[in-house]
Amino acid sequence: MKKGFLIMIVGFVLYALVFVGMQQFYTANPETMTWREREIFNRKYIGRLKIGTHRDEVLRLLGPPDISEARTNERGDILILFYRTHHVKSDGMTTRDETTPLLFVHDLLFAWGDTAYEAEFSQ
């Protein structure tokens, strides 16, 4: 009885160590996800972003954008990365209306979302 309990405890500890190790060191690869998985993944990580996050960190977390563009306004040169976050039409293509824009100046995130994009470029 005592030996069985000890084996069970050791097994649980090993399981917990493997689980914690996987959580700490495994990173999901957005490029290998289905479009539905990627939408969920992108929404999750975009929701965790902070103003001032460097572009390289966003690319590391989210992978390459679905669409990108660069524009200039009174702030200077602005890089916009569009990530797919919601489904609109089943046409096999990701269009801008299915994405969330992330806006960068000098490689630092300063805004995201449709409202921020429209406010920057509506003039």
Side-chain angles (χ1 to χ4, degrees):
M1 179 83 164
K2 194 174 186 181
K3 186 176 181 180
F5 182 72
L6 182 62
I7 290 172
M8 187 174 72
I9 294 294
V10 169
F12 177 75
V13 168
L14 287 174
Y15 173 80
L17 288 172
V18 168
F19 179 79
V20 168
M22 289 287 290
Q23 293 288 19
Q24 286 291 321
F25 301 109
Y26 173 76
T27 55
N29 183 356
E31 295 182 62
T32 62
M33 297 177 185
T34 67
W35 63 267
R36 288 182 186 180
E37 293 169 334
R38 182 132 191 228
E39 285 178 358
I40 294 166
F41 179 85
N42 288 345
R43 282 194 308 265
K44 176 181 173 182
Y45 280 97
I46 289 171
R48 294 179 180 175
L49 292 174
K50 292 181 172 59
I51 299 294
T53 302
H54 197 276
R55 177 184 52 89
D56 292 342
E57 179 66 10
V58 171
L59 290 171
R60 187 185 70 74
L61 288 172
L62 297 174
D66 295 287
I67 303 168
S68 64
E69 67 181 48
R71 299 180 72 173
T72 300
N73 70 6
E74 61 276 355
R75 287 183 191 268
D77 295 334
I78 298 178
L79 173 67
I80 306 105
L81 304 180
F82 296 87
Y83 286 93
R84 183 183 183 105
T85 53
H86 49 282
H87 178 75
V88 174
K89 183 178 177 185
S90 294
D91 57 6
M93 296 175 52
T94 297
T95 54
R96 193 179 296 171
D97 61 340
E98 297 175 314
T99 64
T100 298
L102 281 61
L103 291 79
F104 297 84
V105 171
H106 304 294
D107 288 333
L108 298 177
L109 182 67
F110 75 90
W112 63 87
D114 292 328
T115 305
Y117 180 82
E118 291 166 11
E120 286 297 317
F121 304 110
S122 63
Q123 293 87 1

